[in-house]
């Protein structure tokens, strides 16, 4: 049976070796903005939250969040998400994140990602608000 849980920053090292491959894959899609080690450093910081999905002793997924306070809103920002067998753990993870966000006084969950994530979360009520474009500055 799939379980989802927050891993307190003090306990990240107890499971990082099993979660790191998911962080490496997530970092790949930041296009040079982050490495798996950068993600590790973030989840060791008390301002970020690391969430895991597991079945017995097999880790299936990783989500990294941060509470972001804007001048007019407070949101739970889902920075990284990755793993295997997403269909098994997406719904319980999303419910846990919604409950946590509500408990923390957030009005919603935000995320930035590749266009394919829109299809994954559209049935959950997510909607794309904007697209980020990047122009490299050459020499």
């Amino acid at each position: 049976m799939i379980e989802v849980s927050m891993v307190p920053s003090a306990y990240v090292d107890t499971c990082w070796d099993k979660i790191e491959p998911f962080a490496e894959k997530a970092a790949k899609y930041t296009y040079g903005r982050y490495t798996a080690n950068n993600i590790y450093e973030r989840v060791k910081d008390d301002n970020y939250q690391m969430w895991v999905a597991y079945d017995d002793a097999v880790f299936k997924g990783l989500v990294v969040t941060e509470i972001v306070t804007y001048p007019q809103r407070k949101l739970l920002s889902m920075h990284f998400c990755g793993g295997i067998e997403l269909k098994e753990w997406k719904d319980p993870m999303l419910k846990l994140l919604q409950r946590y966000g509500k408990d923390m006084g957030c009005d919603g969950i935000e995320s930035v990602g590749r266009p394919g994530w829109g299809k994954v979360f559209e049935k959950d009520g997510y909607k794309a608000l904007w697209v980020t474009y990047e122009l490299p500055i050459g020499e």
Side-chain angles (χ1 to χ4, degrees):
M1 181 173 151
I2 293 291
E3 300 285 335
V4 293
S5 177
M6 179 196 286
V7 178
S9 59
Y11 294 95
V12 167
D13 289 332
T14 64
C15 61
W16 183 254
D17 62 326
K18 294 177 177 71
I19 293 298
E20 186 176 17
F22 303 144
E24 287 176 359
K25 190 170 182 181
K28 176 182 168 185
Y29 291 104
T30 68
Y31 303 97
R33 289 170 175 80
Y34 291 91
T35 65
N37 190 59
N38 297 139
I39 295 170
Y40 170 79
E41 291 168 355
R42 294 276 198 262
V43 298
K44 292 289 286 185
D45 179 342
D46 286 329
N47 292 322
Y48 285 74
Q49 302 82 41
M50 183 171 97
W51 308 85
V52 294
Y54 55 94
D55 189 358
D56 290 324
V58 178
F59 285 87
K60 304 279 185 159
L62 162 74
V63 174
V64 176
T65 61
E66 174 191 21
I67 296 171
V68 178
T69 303
Y70 296 100
Q72 301 299 316
R73 297 188 67 195
K74 184 176 180 182
L75 297 166
L76 183 64
S77 186
M78 188 167 53
H79 293 301
F80 305 101
C81 179
I84 57 172
E85 301 168 8
L86 178 66
K87 288 181 182 180
E88 291 183 21
W89 56 269
K90 180 189 74 120
D91 289 341
M93 179 68 76
L94 190 55
K95 286 178 185 169
L96 181 60
L97 293 177
Q98 288 172 312
R99 187 169 62 239
Y100 177 77
K102 185 176 182 179
D103 290 347
M104 296 294 107
C106 297
D107 359 279
I109 298 173
E110 67 177 3
S111 184
V112 173
R114 297 173 302 161
W117 283 109
K119 292 177 186 173
V120 171
F121 289 116
E122 70 184 349
K123 291 180 183 174
D124 300 305
Y126 275 83
K127 59 183 176 183
L129 299 179
W130 57 72
V131 176
T132 300
Y133 295 92
E134 178 182 327
L135 174 65
I137 298 174
E139 295 179 28

